[in-house]
Amino acid sequence: MKKLSFISLAFAAIGAVACSDGSVKYNVSGSGAPEDGKTVYLIDGINSERIDSAVVAGGAFQLKGKAPKDALLNVNIDGSNWFFLLFNDGEPVTLNAADNSLTGSELNDKVTECDLWIYEQMSHLSELGNKLTELSEKVPQTDPEFQTLLQQYRTDNLAFRKGLTDKLEANMDNLLPVAFAREAFSLIGVDKVREIVAAADTPFGTHPVVTGLLKQVDEEEARMKEMQERAQAIIGQKFLDLEEPDPDGNVHKLSEYLGQGNWVLVDFWASWCGPCKAEMPNVVEVYKKYHAKGFEIVGLSFDRQKEAWVQAIKDWEMPWIHLSDLKQWQTVASDTYAVKAIPDNILVDPEGTIVARGLRGDDLKAKLAEIFV
């Protein structure tokens, strides 16, 4: 189906007759292709490698060969953003590029039905989202018309998520959920997936894609834990120096401002960060209240676009020091200070020692009130 961000990998089928080398024959017949001469690709759904191709003639094409048993095969016509999902279960598949339909085995029919349903639901939600964006430019968000449309979006979104969750949970005895494995992780929850994997010898729970995704989750959780430990470990330590340009392009080091006799809040933020924008009035308030008493702020932006960065400094009324290498999450500050999410900050004492981290709202106000009694 269309490569919407919500739609993910599909994988294996069962019940096929394997060739002697463990592979399964595939036979894909297509019609309704919009343009002769276009190349049609058969793609491995796990590693995205092209494993076969054919050229459209008379609106039709055919792909024949062998691929690993239980593999997902995606079919894509060059220039199209639609990817047909099919399980290589040894049964012939017929697809129509004119209406994105696919028929084959019972499993492949169910996957296609679910795939098209997801696309229909996502298109509807996308349309509502666009309407909300357009309306927000004309009326305030408190306007009754906006609130009504917003409630419709929320209601329809919840209905979609529940509908898909029900479909996935009702098919845990077959491979349909594997076709939408990431959705299963998101909607059912990682803990529930772990229960399924541990409790039963199901096609979903034993599939290598699912166990592979669990491994990725475990690795990510370990990485996040390590970053959290690093983030907290710097409290009580001297600040780590780095250098970045200011809005005029002049490069500065943190050591120009830290350890120079002032209390300094190093603020990690970005113009595209909604929570940063929501928190900024609190930061502005404490800056105005304590700046004359020896309080400074150095903003380290996680922006990529200079124009957006500079405009936010102006619009959000942030009259302090600003630096950014405009590398977003690849910024030097991210690794140096183990920043895993923004907004974030560190508070540095006049001697250059980090005394606190992640102070926001009332916690930030209370800490500074304690310092500047």
Side-chain angles (χ1 to χ4, degrees), residues 62-109:
Q62 188 167 41
L63 297 156
K64 283 186 175 183
K66 293 191 298 183
K69 181 181 183 297
D70 292 344
L72 161 73
L73 304 178
N74 295 339
V75 178
N76 174 248
I77 301 175
D78 189 29
S80 170
N81 60 356
W82 188 272
F83 285 70
F84 293 88
L85 307 180
L86 62 101
F87 291 96
N88 187 30
D89 55 9
E91 295 192 29
V93 170
T94 301
L95 59 86
N96 189 331
D99 59 8
N100 299 321
S101 62
L102 181 151
T103 57
S105 65
E106 179 181 356
L107 179 60
N108 279 329
D109 289 349

Side-chain angles (χ1 to χ4, degrees), residues 33-58:
E35 184 179 345
D36 287 355
K38 286 283 188 179
T39 303
V40 181
Y41 296 103
L42 190 68
I43 304 168
D44 186 293
I46 297 176
N47 58 31
S48 299
E49 292 183 359
R50 295 172 176 174
I51 58 177
D52 199 356
S53 63
V55 176
V56 176

Side-chain angles (χ1 to χ4, degrees), residues 7 15 18 66 90 105 107 140 193 200 211-212 225-226 291 327 333 358:
I7 305 307
K66 293 191 298 183
S105 65
L107 179 60
V193 171
T211 56
K225 181 180 179 181
E226 187 269 336
H291 179 58
K327 294 182 179 179

Side-chain angles (χ1 to χ4, degrees), residues 131 182 191 216 234 249 277 302 328 365:
K131 288 181 179 179
R182 293 188 185 276
D191 291 340
Q216 291 179 22
I234 66 173
K277 185 176 182 179
F302 281 53
Q328 204 166 10
K365 294 175 184 178

Side-chain angles (χ1 to χ4, degrees), residues 206-337:
T206 58
H207 197 280
V209 170
V210 175
T211 56
L213 283 174
L214 279 177
K215 181 180 179 182
Q216 291 179 22
V217 169
D218 290 341
E219 291 173 348
E220 179 63 14
E221 288 179 348
R223 187 185 71 83
M224 294 299 291
K225 181 180 179 181
E226 187 269 336
M227 288 192 70
Q228 289 173 345
E229 291 173 349
R230 282 182 56 203
Q232 293 304 311
I234 66 173
I235 296 176
Q237 305 296 317
K238 289 291 184 180
F239 75 90
L240 302 173
D241 208 4
L242 56 81
E243 58 181 34
E244 292 186 339
D246 64 18
D248 294 325
N250 301 311
V251 177
H252 296 273
K253 291 184 176 181
L254 276 184
S255 54
E256 295 177 38
Y257 315 108
L258 277 61
Q260 301 298 318
N262 287 330
W263 284 88
V264 182
L265 185 75
V266 180
D267 189 41
F268 307 109
W269 71 286
S271 66
W272 46 262
C273 170
C276 298
K277 185 176 182 179
E279 174 63 16
M280 205 55 67
N282 294 318
V283 183
V284 172
E285 179 184 340
V286 296
Y287 180 80
K288 291 179 178 179
K289 187 173 183 178
Y290 297 113
H291 179 58
K293 298 181 179 182
F295 176 61
E296 187 58 84
I297 298 177
V298 178
L300 299 184
S301 169
F302 281 53
D303 275 285
R304 188 178 299 279
Q305 301 298 325
K306 182 176 182 179
E307 296 78 7
W309 171 42
V310 173
Q311 191 64 45
I313 294 172
K314 177 181 177 181
D315 292 345
W316 300 0
E317 301 179 349
M318 301 154 60
W320 48 80
I321 300 158
H322 290 280
L323 306 174
S324 181
D325 54 16
L326 298 175
K327 294 182 179 179
Q328 204 166 10
W329 286 106
Q330 283 68 51
T331 178
V332 63
S334 178
D335 184 64
T336 302
Y337 286 99

